[in-house]
Structures are given as structure tokens and as C-alpha cells.
Amino acid sequence: MYKTLLTATLALGITGMTALSTKASTLVFADNFNQENNGVRALNYSSFNNWDVTNGSVDLYGRASNGFGSLLVRTNGAFVDLDGSTGTAGTLTSKQTFTFNPGDILTLQYDLSPGARPNTSFGNNILIVSLGDIYRTVHATGVGFPLKTPFKSFSTTIHVTERTRGNLVFSHLGGDTQGIYLDNVRLSVEKAVVPEPLTILGAGTAIAFGAGFKRKLGKANKK
């Protein structure tokens, strides 16, 4: 009887402790560009629902596209060529500014295709991806990312160590009217669930009661 009660009490304490570390993942941003311009191709497009073109220009690939881009549209739907048709590559900056707290775990995902031709200035198409001050990476065409290949999915996990605010940015270098293609951008945040005070109290009480009951049981067994 005593052992049964002790087991139940300790189990309650463990359950309470588990609840304190439970996390929930939430999708906070997603864009596949299929709703832009009714899915129709547009050069030097800037009327994005979720982005500002903060430098240079970008092209929207959709229906009525031609060449290598038209092949990708058939399987992927609309997407963005980050080196538009003005001779200056573009920068896409999310209109949404994100706020993150210490302990947040972020998952950033996006699809890239190297595009149809190399950059005339650098030889390789180069793209810088950043999220505020907490993340920055560089993609360049070449070995492992050859031209005229389908979209490839990229995913990274970011652990936030201090409170920060920032935007998601895709910045292409150079400018020769054709660059790296972007599609299916997603950002998820996993936050620690803050338990209610009664949950904390219940877990603490259960553990304390279990420890006290164990001592009492030990004394009873010695008699």
C-alpha cells in the first residue's frame, strides 16, 4: 500500500516537471509567391504582399515565363528571380519585423534554384540570407549547386540567446538580369510554454510530499 502511494506521488511530480519543459512550434511566416500578380510573370516586380524590394530589382516567374524558368514554373508554381531585369540584383526584405526571446528555437526553410546562367561579374551567383542580427549565411552557385538544376530545399535551426528584433532578408549580389531563384519561404518558432502558477505549485508539492513520505516509510520499516 505504502509503495503504491509513493509510486503514484512520484509519478505526479515527474509529470509536473515534464510540463515545465513542454514546447510548442508555431509557423509565423510562409510565402510561396503563388498569389503574386495572379501567378503571372512580371519583370521588375515590386508589389509583393509580404516583402519590400529594398535594393535593385527582382523578377516574378509565373505563367507566361519562358526558357529554363518556364520548366520550373510547371512543377513549382510562381517563384522569384532575385536578380531582376534592371542590371542591379535585388534585395527582398520581409515587411514583417519579428521579435524573438532567449530560449526560442527557430526553423528557417526555403527553396533555391541556382538559375540559368552564371553572374557576369563574379562568375557565380551569390545570395546572402539573414534574419536580424542572429543569423547570416551565403549561398553561391558552383559545386553542389550547379546551374540549371531544380529547386533544392534548405533548412536551418537557430537558437536565440538574447531578445532581438529583425527582418528576414534575401540579398543577391551583382546584376546581370538572371540570378538565384527563391521559393517556399517558411519560418517557425518553438517557444517554451510558461506554466500556470498552480502547475508549478502542484509539481513542487508533489515532489516534496513524495520525499517526506519516503522518509516516513523508511522509519516505519526500521521499527
Side-chain angles (χ1 to χ4, degrees):
M1 175 66 175
Y2 287 152
K3 291 183 178 180
T4 302
L5 288 174
L6 178 60
T7 301
T9 301
L10 292 179
L12 176 60
I14 293 172
T15 301
M17 293 173 66
T18 302
L20 298 181
S21 61
T22 299
K23 293 178 179 290
S25 181
T26 303
L27 182 65
V28 296
F29 184 89
D31 197 349
N32 60 13
F33 304 107
N34 289 337
Q35 304 305 314
E36 300 292 346
N37 200 42
N38 294 317
V40 179
R41 181 191 186 207
L43 300 181
N44 305 320
Y45 186 74
S46 60
S47 302
F48 290 97
N49 295 319
N50 299 314
W51 307 87
D52 291 320
V53 181
T54 52
N55 185 62
S57 62
V58 302
D59 292 339
L60 178 68
Y61 272 75
R63 295 191 304 277
S65 296
N66 51 35
F68 177 64
S70 66
L71 299 178
L72 296 182
V73 168
R74 294 174 192 172
T75 55
N76 288 75
F79 59 87
V80 174
D81 179 351
L82 291 167
D83 190 348
S85 299
T86 62
T88 302
T91 296
L92 276 187
T93 301
S94 65
K95 292 182 178 180
Q96 182 176 351
T97 300
F98 305 97
T99 300
F100 305 115
N101 297 302
D104 288 352
I105 301 175
L106 317 180
T107 301
L108 175 61
Q109 300 169 298
Y110 47 88
D111 295 347
L112 298 178
S113 169
R117 72 184 186 195
N119 187 282
T120 54
S121 300
F122 302 105
N124 294 329
N125 289 316
I126 299 174
L127 171 66
I128 301 172
V129 182
S130 60
L131 180 59
D133 295 327
I134 60 175
Y135 179 75
R136 174 186 165 97
T137 192
V138 178
H139 296 279
T141 56
V143 177
F145 197 42
L147 295 172
K148 291 189 177 181
T149 54
F151 278 97
K152 178 179 179 181
S153 296
F154 294 85
S155 179
T156 187
T157 300
I158 306 165
H159 294 266
V160 181
T161 58
E162 60 184 25
R163 183 176 173 83
T164 184
R165 285 170 53 85
N167 298 75
L168 180 58
V169 179
F170 292 85
S171 182
H172 204 295
L173 301 184
D176 60 1
T177 73
Q178 286 195 31
I180 292 175
Y181 301 155
L182 173 69
D183 201 3
N184 297 324
V185 182
R186 294 168 62 89
L187 178 62
S188 300
V189 182
E190 188 176 276
K191 294 180 177 289
V193 176
V194 180
E196 299 179 359
L198 288 179
T199 303
I200 300 175
L201 179 62
T205 301
I207 294 171
F209 180 78
F213 191 81
K214 185 176 181 180
R215 287 194 299 268
K216 185 176 180 180
L217 180 59
K219 291 179 180 178
N221 289 336
K222 291 179 179 179
K223 293 180 179 181

